[in-house]
Amino acid sequence: MPGKLKVKIVAGRHLPVMDRASDLTDAFVEVKFGNTTFKTDVRHKSLNPLWNSEWFKFEVDDEELQDEPLQITVLDHDTYSANDAIGRVYIDIDPLLTNEAAHVISGWFLIFDTIHGIRGEINITIKVDLFNDLNRFRQSSCGVKFFSTTCVPWCYRAVAMHGFVEELVVNEDPEYQWIDRIRTPRASNEARQRLISQMSGALQRKLGLKVLEMGGNAVLGYLQCFDLEGETGLVVRAIGTACTLEKLSGAQPNILSSPQREPKETANPEEVAVNNQSSGSSSPRKIQTFSFSPPKPSSRRSSSSDTELSLTPKTGVGSGSGSREANPAKTLCRQLTQTPFDQREYPFFTLTSFPPGFLVHVAGVVSARSVKLLDRIYNPDEPETRDAWWAELRQEIRSHARALGCHAVIGYSEHTSICEEVCILSASGTAAILNSRLLADASRAPAGDVRPWPGGSERRETENGRSAPRDGTGPEDSLLQSCCICHVPYDELNLPFPMQLALCASCHLNKVPDVLFTTIELPHSLAVIGKGCLIQARLCRQKKKAQGEVNAATISGLLPFMEYELHTQLMSKLKLRGMNALFGLRVHISVGETMLVGVASATAVFVAALPPPGSVTVAAKTPEPTCEGHLATLQRHIDDLVARNRQQYKIILPERVEEAAEPSPEPRHLRMSRSQSESSEEMPDLDLAHGRKDAFVIEIDDVDAEEDVHMLLMDTPTPPGFYICNTETVPGVRRLTSNLQMFTAVRMYSLNSSLTAHALNRTFNSLCDNLLKSLFFKLRSMTPCCLCHVNFSVSLPEDELVQVTVTSLVAACARDSNKDEAMGGPKTEQLRGYLESEDPLQFPLELTSEAAPALSPSHSSGRAGTVESRTWPSLDDHVAALAEHLPICNSLCSMEGIPGLPSRGAQGTEMDSPHVELRQRHRSAPSPSPTLPPPIVELTPLSFVAGHHVNKYLGIINVFFIRETTSLREEGGVSGFLHTFLIEVFSMVRAHVVALGGNAVVSYRLKECVFMENLNKNQAQCLVNVSGDAVHVVCESDSEVDLQGASSDLQACPM
Amino acid sequence: MSLEMDVFVGNTTLIDEEVYQLWLDGYSDSPLTGYGTIQTVDNAVAKREQGGVTGGFVDLLLSDTMDQYRVFYRLERLLQSPDKLSNQLLFQIPPSMQSVLFERYYNFDEAFVRELLGKKLSKGTKKDLDDISIKAGVSLRSCRRQFDNFKRVFKVVEEMKGSLVENVQQHFLLSEKLARDYSAIVFFANNRFETGKKKMLYLTFEDFAFCAEQLIRSWTLGAAGSVADDMDVDLDREFLQDLKDLKVLISDKDLLDQHKGLVCRGVRGKMSTHCDIEGNFKGLSRGLVNIATKLMHSKDVRDFFIDLVEKFIEPCKSDHWSSEDVQLFLLQYTTSAHALGTFRHQVLWERYMVTIRSCILKMYHD
């Protein structure tokens, strides 16, 4: 009996009129926890009742405290008939169960009814008296802190990382129980909300127990998902990273600064076995699956990894002096580098960014998918099948990582897509090698006896240790620090498939792959050139309607092709942007009755350590005379696009004369367009060849392929003043100064399935593009700004319906510093000449004066192209589409000048922006009281609030809302209904945070947004799951200085 | 492909002032009744397009306009009870944006309010809004909003203690300027002053607003130092009753002549030469005093402004007085009365004439 929950109902306001006769309400409140219910007095005839009740006390187990939500129901008293419910509030009291989070929950909550929405507000105060339970066999896990944030939270220090934890609970979905036929929609929704709340409470408790067992005290990167399987049940599953956190004194940000010598790892006999296994797994089949050249997977489950990596696990991770000794003997070395961590079932981390020094190498993306047929779960207490499915998938991920020579998977996430009885399970992550000394050894370290992470002074040594065995060059240069993450952890002589390794552009000592795909955030230490940007691959595939096994087989047959195609698109787009690495890659494949839809989003960057991407060329497999001119035109468009992109993202290659001296191999493919380039003759042969040695070739063998190329070119360009990425911050953008807006945009399209496969694909592509366009339009007055953490999710709610949900944070960013701009002048000149040379790799040493003016508006050449090639009907469209790029850019520019819509860019000062208010708020915040004014609550998908730092984590927010309407038309149709609901959800989350004593939610996610409608019945239902960390943030003291710097920049370089 | 649903929701409610103005101006095809339903926003989109917002991306405009309109419809209820907006939790609106929302929502077209001034804010008047809307050249939708605003403000402040302007300002979070205008509208509506006669059409809303302020300042209960419920809205009955005592200025022949003599002497040489003060004095003085004595009947209160025009302004105009002439005359006319030995109602006279004087001067233009 270790807990006493105390609840006080203070007052209500803005209650709805429940009695038509008097236009008033006789309200009272029921407070329910577990099976105990208390009631307040009835306050007659008031819309703003004051109850000021006694403290209602619940004496309960801590297990119950964790599982159950506090349920508060506001009712209208009726003397003669049954009391009418006004609405409810569910409050998760978990934040009160740890001593570091909130101590009291007190404030105004929004009263929510699943049919009517928000119906007034209620003021509640909640406290918990907790007695420590020392029982070894306890079932509760009070005190374990949960964080949605996927990095070590501010004001905490990670003392040890224990690794992956997962849990899964199953129940019957109340919506599908027999009783649902006779109860009201409201009762059914409420049963569902309550159940889900209980399930997620129980899930958290069970996961917490596992963490305690491992000796940890917190879960980072906690990710909870709901699988609404329908008839077969409701699955709530969660994954996270267990670790031991230590609170830093003071509110200084998380810097690992306690250098403490670490006992040397000892080799464990078992590890050798593990290692042998991992090298044994490099079967030919695997190699094929891992390559990015067309795989021909025949297995029902498809898997792929996006990077070019050898399979031989190389010595890699060194534990200091240990690896140095081991240099000659590979086996021994392997023993040493294998930590007990490897023995873990799943060496996974849900984190996406790590403390410095933790990440040693990043190999590439590993992913696995499987298609399952849902069956009834007979025993909800032992959800064996679901567990087994995920276990299978995780094992596959692990074996992929092993095959890549990596011992860990970071940035790991899981995802499902369900349609009727078919379910696609997906898991993905990034194979990596971590600094093993930083991983806590759960088997040996009991709780409490944990070793702190080493600080910066030790880090360098670690890297030196790593570099020593690799090249035998010894621990010489400190330059390595930034680039070692990219170095391939294996042997270049043993490449499993044709791929290119190059010398690291930073240190010139180690080999790096030519592109790198990852699911993590860009590590801070990694140097990038220019700015990053969002790229997306989109794909829509038709499939036949089918049932059961046949359906599942069809889907699993399609998956590998989809993955391959998405990958090809990503690669092409990456090359077109002139970049060489992807971060934050998310591939979501959704299944519908007649379609499969895949969207891969990632942030492309130019990592300085990786080789510059070669030129992009178009080639035809069967050169026909008719298409030569056409290809040339196409090639010109591509070149223009690449040039434009480089200019836009400010990718200026460092000069490297010595590299040009390398022997120049033949271009690997037939290049149709080569002869068309005007400027090529001027270039010395050597340079030409150098540039082309790793040219990226897009092959065109039929009309379909050609359309694909057009689609690549038709991507909406990011208008000036915007940066867009799906990572937390835009790589290359100095800093975010303040949050401007967090938004969710939902669009639903009905596709005509009678379209041809290509038309369907094109339509899908353009609808995603249109959505982006509309975002740029809506946010035009906020420029210059960054759209950070753009999260695209696509689902197929019904036949022919596609729903796209985008959530993102718009943040103001500091303009490029004066220094940058000053350098911009001459650089642009160089850039022009260099663009003109038609060879992106070619950096002209001398600038000819003719080169600069030749950079005419790019689409004029496009127009010339149309004349040449009338025989290609599709090209006209294509050119039109290209020309369209410019109007939108222009219009977006001109929009800034419209009166009433002044933009900071146009006016040259921040003060003209409509969001001045917001900014001033931020700016003025520190002086009187270091907090934001209470009513303003920031929601942000990032792990921080720009211009602020987190000084307290108040607990995890994880809420599930259901809203239903039977008067869809009256509420403004589907859009009106969803609009209202989202506003309500945001406001409920904000109210919750304020009651916890916070002023922001970080790592905010709107995970599930399931929408169902029945227009004929005038009905619609929507389910939303929102999660994040409630925090209290304070304005950074130095932010004023920075803002001043930024504004002086603004004056110096008005747009 | 067709777009079935299109929603954009921000955590912070930021509005596009331009679109907001279009909404307020009634650029919407949606039915006038019905909350939250938007049929089409085509004409708002068309308007934005004319303004050159995009280079022909109608779908972007359409989607943006719909989103904004949805927010406006949801906000409308809160805009109508501003006290709720400040402590509601549904919308997170930066304070500066809140004041923009209110200021614009409660803003009105002078052409429309001029038509409506002095009319009873009743259902009957609301039915006539179509005509007024055509006359004023303001869309019916916008007219209805403005009418409802007047009525709402009227209802709230009618029975309140304290300064009318301050009440409006505090209760509806409006700027002082707008609060003053609303005070005038409330005051006119309460006293039902006639402003619609043809003769008065040359008068602008601003003229009347000024006059209303003068009347509120010195003729209402509040001005008399009372703290009654509706002190600024109702005229001081006692004062109006007392005004009949001024009759003596025209009924007493001696007093009239004496007064005339004093005035004529006072203005001699200062007014334009063509002014026939001798000949006009009797008529003008009778006009002004008669207005005063009639004010005890509420029906005649309504005719206050028309009387001013008919009995004073028009005669002066027909004699081609300049406004300086009028000012001089009125000043002399007021002060001279104080010199009349047998005239005992000096305080009353001052209270009456100061207001009359400033009203007439404001109204004396073409």
Side-chain angles (χ1 to χ4, degrees):
Chain A
M1 200 284 306
K4 194 189 268 177
L5 170 68
K6 299 190 290 183
V7 182
K8 183 176 186 159
I9 306 296
V10 184
R13 65 183 184 196
H14 311 326
L15 294 186
V17 171
M18 297 300 283
D19 179 6
R20 282 290 158 88
S22 64
D23 265 3
L24 289 167
T25 297
D26 305 322
F28 72 100
V29 182
E30 265 182 24
V31 184
K32 187 177 177 196
F33 189 81
N35 294 320
T36 320
T37 307
F38 292 102
K39 281 182 193 174
T40 66
D41 300 335
V42 179
R43 289 281 173 269
H44 287 285
K45 303 205 182 304
S46 171
L47 297 182
N48 300 295
L50 187 71
W51 286 289
N52 226 341
S53 76
E54 58 187 298
W55 285 99
F56 299 120
K57 297 189 180 90
F58 301 89
E59 296 182 338
V60 279
D61 281 350
D62 50 359
E63 188 179 338
E64 207 175 352
L65 276 174
Q66 283 192 297
D67 287 10
E68 291 286 332
L70 178 67
Q71 180 183 315
I72 291 173
T73 314
V74 186
L75 298 113
D76 177 50
H77 176 77
D78 210 325
T79 321
Y80 304 109
S81 58
N83 298 328
D84 294 323
I86 295 173
R88 287 215 165 124
V89 183
Y90 290 99
I91 303 169
D92 179 13
I93 47 161
D94 227 39
L96 294 176
L97 303 182
T98 61
N99 44 12
E100 278 168 46
H103 294 295
V104 61
I105 299 178
S106 174
W108 291 99
F109 286 84
L110 289 155
I111 304 166
F112 180 72
D113 178 67
T114 58
I115 306 291
H116 293 106
I118 302 282
R119 301 183 98 192
E121 294 155 21
I122 183 168
N123 196 313
I124 308 166
T125 304
I126 305 161
K127 286 180 180 170
V128 171
D129 288 338
L130 202 64
F131 317 113
N132 269 334
D133 185 5
L134 299 173
N135 182 357
R136 282 176 59 225
F137 304 105
R138 63 182 182 164
Q139 283 302 301
S140 74
S141 56
C142 292
V144 174
K145 293 183 280 290
F146 286 81
F147 297 91
S148 303
T149 303
T150 56
C151 59
V152 179
W154 294 65
C155 54
Y156 283 98
R157 200 165 62 105
V159 181
M161 290 273 182
H162 305 284
F164 188 65
V165 277
E166 47 80 31
E167 187 57 73
L168 179 149
V169 294
V170 172
N171 211 313
E172 246 181 296
D173 192 340
E175 187 96 345
Y176 294 88
Q177 282 165 348
W178 66 268
I179 194 168
D180 202 54
R181 285 160 209 239
I182 54 165
R183 65 181 166 191
T184 62
R186 177 182 281 121
S188 155
N189 291 338
E190 271 161 13
R192 221 170 167 194
Q193 268 189 210
R194 195 166 47 242
L195 176 73
I196 288 174
S197 198
Q198 278 164 355
M199 283 170 78
S200 59
L203 189 70
Q204 229 167 297
R205 173 176 59 79
K206 287 184 180 175
L207 203 74
L209 278 173
K210 289 191 177 177
V211 173
L212 290 177
E213 254 168 53
M214 292 167 104
N217 66 0
V219 179
L220 299 184
Y222 181 71
L223 177 74
Q224 193 177 352
C225 293
F226 298 92
D227 297 334
L228 302 168
E229 291 186 355
E231 293 284 330
T232 57
L234 182 67
V235 177
V236 188
R237 56 195 163 76
I239 54 174
T241 306
C243 60
T244 307
L245 291 185
E246 192 178 273
K247 201 162 165 67
L248 291 174
S249 53
Q252 76 207 90
N254 153 51
I255 299 162
L256 298 160
S257 53
S258 70
Q260 192 183 322
R261 259 292 166 203
E262 167 101 355
K264 206 162 64 175
E265 296 289 342
T266 46
N268 191 324
E270 283 165 0
E271 283 159 20
V272 185
V274 172
N275 224 343
N276 289 344
Q277 252 176 17
S278 84
S279 47
S281 75
S282 47
S283 65
R285 191 189 72 84
K286 272 289 188 269
I287 295 169
Q288 212 174 26
T289 335
F290 275 94
S291 73
F292 82 93
S293 54
K296 295 172 187 70
S298 49
S299 63
R300 182 169 151 192
R301 197 181 322 121
S302 88
S303 56
S304 77
S305 151
D306 291 312
T307 359
E308 300 71 89
L309 293 159
S310 89
L311 293 176
T312 333
K314 235 262 178 177
T315 58
V317 229
S319 46
S321 51
S323 358
R324 223 168 296 166
E325 292 160 14
N327 193 10
K330 266 194 179 174
T331 43
L332 177 60
C333 187
R334 232 184 275 147
Q335 279 175 25
L336 283 168
T337 55
Q338 295 292 338
T339 67
F341 171 74
D342 268 22
Q343 296 169 346
R344 299 256 168 77
E345 198 175 5
Y346 307 117
F348 299 168
F349 292 87
T350 53
L351 305 189
T352 55
S353 47
F354 295 87
F358 191 69
L359 214 54
V360 181
H361 295 302
V362 171
V365 170
V366 282
S367 78
R369 279 176 221 286
S370 77
V371 181
K372 298 289 182 192
L373 274 179
L374 299 174
D375 49 352
R376 186 158 284 282
I377 301 163
Y378 291 104
N379 184 5
D381 293 330
E382 291 290 322
E384 278 162 358
T385 47
R386 302 302 183 271
D387 266 339
W389 291 353
W390 286 110
E392 202 176 284
L393 217 56
R394 289 171 191 142
Q395 269 155 24
E396 186 165 337
I397 289 279
R398 185 183 56 173
S399 70
H400 287 346
R402 289 258 165 88
L404 289 170
C406 292
H407 66 174
V409 175
I410 56 177
Y412 179 74
S413 65
E414 293 174 349
H415 177 75
T416 55
S417 170
I418 297 172
C419 176
E420 302 287 314
E421 49 180 2
V422 177
C423 175
I424 301 182
L425 312 180
S426 320
S428 69
T430 305
I433 290 177
L434 303 177
N435 189 331
S436 50
R437 282 183 306 156
L438 304 185
L439 300 166
D441 179 354
S443 57
R444 273 174 288 171
D449 174 26
V450 280
R451 284 152 298 177
W453 290 28
S457 59
E458 237 184 352
R459 200 178 79 221
R460 190 187 303 164
E461 206 186 322
T462 315
E463 276 147 10
N464 290 343
R466 179 207 45 73
S467 72
R470 153 120 349 130
D471 302 310
T473 45
E476 72 292 76
D477 59 65
S478 51
L479 271 174
L480 288 177
Q481 275 181 342
S482 70
C483 61
C484 80
I485 291 170
C486 308
H487 299 160
V488 289
Y490 38 74
D491 189 348
E492 63 181 297
L493 300 171
N494 211 355
L495 292 178
F497 48 85
M499 62 164 291
Q500 295 201 327
L501 289 184
L503 270 183
C504 171
S506 295
C507 65
H508 309 293
L509 294 172
N510 298 289
K511 292 288 182 182
V512 291
D514 64 346
V515 288
L516 183 64
F517 284 17
T518 71
T519 58
I520 56 168
E521 292 287 319
L522 178 75
H524 291 294
S525 56
L526 203 58
V528 298
I529 294 174
K531 314 255 191 266
C533 68
L534 177 80
I535 63 171
Q536 274 194 325
R538 303 147 186 155
L539 188 65
C540 183
R541 277 287 182 105
Q542 279 164 320
K543 80 170 184 64
K544 288 219 171 64
K545 261 192 184 173
Q547 297 291 316
E549 290 278 352
V550 184
N551 196 17
T554 319
I555 292 167
S556 50
L558 274 170
L559 280 180
F561 293 99
M562 291 193 66
E563 293 216 37
Y564 170 62
E565 208 161 310
L566 285 172
H567 182 272
T568 316
Q569 268 190 43
L570 276 180
M571 190 62 102
S572 309
K573 289 189 179 181
L574 179 68
K575 298 283 181 183
L576 284 174
R577 298 273 193 304
M579 301 188 190
N580 59 16
L582 289 183
F583 287 89
L585 177 66
R586 294 271 172 281
V587 183
H588 277 194
I589 294 186
S590 311
V591 60
E593 290 264 290
T594 57
M595 287 185 275
L596 280 170
V597 167
V599 174
S601 316
T603 301
V605 284
F606 189 120
V607 173
L610 300 185
S615 57
V616 181
T617 55
V618 191
K621 267 196 176 148
T622 48
E624 292 165 41
T626 45
C627 69
E628 249 185 64
H630 165 65
L631 271 184
T633 326
L634 210 55
Q635 178 68 46
R636 227 176 358 251
H637 294 323
I638 288 177
D639 292 343
D640 287 341
L641 188 64
V642 172
R644 259 207 316 277
N645 281 330
R646 280 179 191 249
Q647 207 165 15
Q648 183 174 359
Y649 301 115
K650 297 198 170 65
I651 297 173
I652 297 154
L653 300 177
E655 215 168 306
R656 278 217 197 294
V657 185
E658 74 273 30
E659 271 189 20
E662 272 188 27
S664 50
E666 279 285 290
R668 284 175 298 168
H669 293 264
L670 179 63
R671 292 166 43 81
M672 295 303 298
S673 61
R674 198 54 229 139
S675 56
Q676 306 293 320
S677 85
E678 300 98 328
S679 54
S680 62
E681 286 92 343
E682 301 165 15
M683 294 297 134
D685 279 352
L686 183 73
D687 285 341
L688 279 175
H690 157 65
R692 220 143 284 121
K693 76 172 185 209
D694 43 16
F696 181 76
V697 180
I698 300 170
E699 282 188 344
I700 295 181
D701 47 2
D702 57 10
V703 182
D704 283 357
E706 159 131 13
E707 283 207 15
D708 289 343
V709 176
H710 288 161
M711 232 143 72
L712 291 176
L713 294 173
M714 274 164 58
D715 249 4
T716 309
T718 313
F722 283 103
Y723 296 109
I724 178 166
C725 65
N726 76 338
T727 49
E728 292 212 332
T729 52
V730 182
V733 169
R734 206 157 48 111
R735 55 164 289 169
L736 305 176
T737 50
S738 63
N739 286 6
L740 293 177
Q741 175 73 294
M742 192 285 304
F743 68 85
T744 293
V746 186
R747 281 191 172 197
M748 189 140 71
Y749 293 88
S750 81
L751 295 177
N752 186 354
S753 61
S754 63
L755 290 169
T756 63
H758 253 278
L760 190 69
N761 205 12
R762 201 170 46 227
T763 314
F764 176 63
N765 195 44
S766 73
L767 67 85
C768 290
D769 243 11
N770 285 341
L771 184 49
L772 280 178
K773 265 190 222 170
S774 81
L775 296 181
F776 292 138
F777 177 72
K778 275 185 209 292
L779 304 170
R780 66 197 181 279
S781 61
M782 297 189 184
T783 55
C785 64
C786 302
L787 271 75
C788 304
H789 210 286
V790 176
N791 185 16
F792 252 74
S793 77
V794 180
S795 59
L796 301 162
E798 262 167 78
D799 242 6
E800 304 188 0
L801 277 187
V802 179
Q803 183 192 324
V804 187
T805 311
V806 182
T807 300
S808 173
L809 173 84
V810 190
C813 56
R815 282 183 170 258
D816 290 341
S817 69
N818 274 336
K819 203 179 99 207
D820 267 15
E821 284 305 307
M823 281 164 62
K827 279 257 169 83
T828 326
E829 281 293 297
Q830 288 177 336
L831 192 67
R832 284 185 177 181
Y834 139 73
L835 294 171
E836 192 49 30
S837 76
E838 223 229 350
D839 185 338
L841 262 192
Q842 178 55 45
F843 199 83
L845 299 174
E846 284 175 68
L847 256 175
T848 51
S849 53
E850 302 97 78
L855 186 86
S856 50
S858 52
H859 74 300
S860 67
S861 63
R863 230 163 247 157
T866 39
V867 185
E868 277 176 37
S869 55
R870 265 185 218 131
T871 47
W872 293 76
S874 60
L875 195 73
D876 282 326
D877 304 356
H878 157 63
V879 172
L882 255 185
E884 218 180 60
H885 289 180
L886 292 171
I888 195 180
C889 292
N890 292 343
S891 63
L892 283 163
C893 290
S894 64
M895 278 176 314
E896 294 176 347
I898 289 168
L901 279 176
S903 89
R904 278 176 294 148
Q907 306 295 320
T909 136
E910 282 191 8
M911 302 312 287
D912 295 317
S913 154
H915 311 289
V916 174
E917 198 348 272
L918 271 158
R919 277 151 208 288
Q920 278 179 336
R921 171 164 59 75
H922 286 300
R923 210 185 299 187
S924 62
S927 34
S929 64
T931 55
L932 297 169
I936 301 287
V937 178
E938 298 274 6
L939 306 182
T940 171
L942 312 188
S943 60
F944 61 94
V945 177
H948 293 71
H949 61 79
V950 178
N951 76 341
K952 196 169 188 206
Y953 281 82
L954 300 161
I956 200 163
I957 296 241
N958 188 3
V959 277
F960 191 91
F961 297 107
I962 301 177
R963 178 84 146 82
E964 192 165 340
T965 183
T966 49
S967 51
L968 188 58
R969 273 187 293 276
E970 293 74 11
E971 295 203 32
V974 284
S975 302
F977 170 66
L978 190 64
H979 192 114
T980 313
F981 184 39
L982 288 177
I983 287 175
E984 288 170 351
V985 169
F986 288 166
S987 60
M988 283 187 276
V989 171
R990 286 196 303 259
H992 215 102
V993 172
V994 172
L996 285 170
N999 57 9
V1001 177
V1002 296
S1003 300
Y1004 166 88
R1005 302 279 184 279
L1006 187 120
K1007 273 192 302 246
E1008 217 72 31
C1009 184
V1010 184
F1011 189 84
M1012 281 158 284
E1013 58 171 328
N1014 188 338
L1015 281 175
N1016 297 331
K1017 285 189 180 166
N1018 207 15
Q1019 283 176 349
Q1021 190 191 35
C1022 189
L1023 292 78
V1024 162
N1025 173 224
V1026 171
S1027 66
D1029 293 326
V1031 292
H1032 186 264
V1033 296
V1034 290
C1035 198
E1036 269 168 20
S1037 50
D1038 61 339
S1039 67
E1040 270 165 312
V1041 181
D1042 269 63
L1043 273 167
Q1044 271 165 15
S1047 58
S1048 67
D1049 290 346
L1050 282 173
Q1051 278 148 18
C1053 49
M1055 239 169 75
Chain B
M1 178 181 74
S2 64
L3 186 57
E4 303 281 315
M5 186 206 311
D6 182 11
V7 174
F8 176 98
V9 187
N11 178 38
T12 308
T13 306
L14 301 172
I15 58 150
D16 183 331
E17 291 180 33
E18 181 207 12
V19 184
Y20 186 48
Q21 193 57 53
L22 287 174
W23 179 70
L24 292 174
D25 289 345
Y27 281 94
S28 166
D29 296 343
S30 60
L32 293 163
T33 51
Y35 152 78
T37 51
I38 311 164
Q39 251 65 42
T40 62
V41 290
D42 286 349
N43 53 19
V45 170
K47 182 77 182 171
R48 289 182 78 184
E49 228 185 331
Q50 283 167 22
V53 176
T54 53
F57 286 85
V58 184
D59 52 334
L60 293 186
L61 275 181
L62 185 69
S63 134
D64 184 47
T65 313
M66 284 294 270
D67 272 325
Q68 303 248 8
Y69 267 49
R70 271 195 291 266
V71 173
F72 301 148
Y73 278 112
R74 302 235 139 61
L75 278 175
E76 190 160 19
R77 236 180 346 165
L78 294 168
L79 289 169
Q80 290 168 1
S81 46
D83 52 323
K84 268 190 193 158
L85 187 79
S86 48
N87 65 6
Q88 56 84 34
L89 302 174
L90 201 54
F91 294 92
Q92 176 163 284
I93 310 172
S96 69
M97 190 90 44
Q98 282 188 21
S99 57
V100 169
L101 281 171
F102 284 122
E103 197 72 10
R104 296 270 182 105
Y105 190 78
Y106 283 92
N107 212 344
F108 51 82
D109 291 294
E110 292 211 351
F112 170 71
V113 76
R114 180 65 190 79
E115 291 291 333
L116 202 72
L117 209 56
K119 287 206 170 68
K120 200 176 172 188
L121 299 175
S122 62
K123 283 218 173 88
T125 314
K126 195 168 182 179
K127 281 192 187 114
D128 298 337
L129 282 182
D130 341 23
D131 292 341
I132 299 177
S133 133
I134 294 163
K135 244 193 246 172
V138 177
S139 78
L140 182 56
R141 207 182 165 76
S142 178
C143 286
R144 292 200 177 196
R145 169 181 59 85
Q146 296 179 31
F147 181 82
D148 290 340
N149 284 346
F150 299 150
K151 201 169 168 179
R152 191 175 317 114
V153 174
F154 182 86
K155 273 196 167 169
V156 170
V157 298
E158 193 185 21
E159 307 273 284
M160 274 178 137
K161 286 182 188 178
S163 149
L164 187 55
V165 178
E166 277 172 27
N167 283 341
V168 174
Q169 211 177 336
Q170 276 168 15
H171 211 82
F172 291 91
L173 312 174
L174 300 177
S175 67
E176 201 192 330
K177 161 89 179 63
L178 206 52
R180 280 180 194 288
D181 288 347
Y182 266 92
S183 308
I185 293 163
V186 168
F187 186 73
F188 266 73
N190 190 48
N191 292 289
R192 311 267 301 283
F193 291 113
E194 175 62 64
T195 64
K197 287 269 157 53
K198 207 177 169 192
K199 283 172 186 163
M200 306 178 73
L201 290 185
Y202 78 99
L203 291 168
T204 64
F205 170 70
E206 202 225 322
D207 296 335
F208 286 118
F210 177 84
C211 295
E213 207 181 327
Q214 300 303 314
L215 294 181
I216 292 168
R217 190 181 292 164
S218 55
W219 286 9
T220 55
L221 287 170
S226 155
V227 276
D229 277 355
D230 38 6
M231 57 186 233
D232 267 6
V233 191
D234 285 340
L235 292 170
D236 183 354
R237 285 275 139 207
E238 227 169 284
F239 164 68
L240 298 182
Q241 286 287 339
D242 292 346
L243 282 177
K244 69 177 187 294
D245 295 342
L246 297 179
K247 185 110 187 172
V248 69
L249 278 176
I250 48 169
S251 57
D252 187 327
K253 187 84 171 59
D254 283 353
L255 214 53
L256 181 66
D257 287 341
Q258 217 179 330
H259 193 190
K260 181 176 168 184
L262 283 169
V263 173
C264 288
R265 233 172 296 139
V267 300
R268 187 164 302 143
K270 292 178 192 158
M271 282 173 71
S272 313
T273 47
H274 59 79
C275 299
D276 178 11
I277 297 158
E278 296 273 339
N280 279 321
F281 182 84
K282 201 173 165 187
L284 294 177
S285 183
R286 184 171 288 159
L288 290 177
V289 175
N290 274 335
I291 292 173
T293 54
K294 272 165 59 185
L295 281 176
M296 50 187 288
H297 308 293
S298 51
K299 192 191 148 289
D300 292 310
V301 169
R302 286 182 207 172
D303 288 338
F304 174 69
F305 288 99
I306 185 116
D307 284 345
L308 281 183
V309 172
E310 282 180 348
K311 305 279 162 54
F312 190 90
I313 294 172
E314 284 188 339
C316 291
K317 275 187 181 167
S318 63
D319 203 30
H320 305 290
W321 292 19
S322 71
S323 54
E324 285 78 27
D325 296 336
V326 174
Q327 185 175 8
L328 207 62
F329 173 80
L330 285 173
L331 188 68
Q332 201 58 48
Y333 180 73
T334 314
T335 48
S336 298
H338 295 308
L340 296 172
T342 49
F343 183 58
R344 286 173 296 123
H345 310 287
Q346 300 293 353
V347 177
L348 188 66
W349 176 248
E350 186 71 19
R351 187 175 174 191
Y352 176 67
M353 274 315 289
V354 165
T355 307
I356 288 286
R357 209 165 67 209
S358 39
C359 287
I360 289 176
L361 285 175
K362 186 74 190 171
M363 293 160 71
Y364 198 82
H365 62 82
D366 297 325

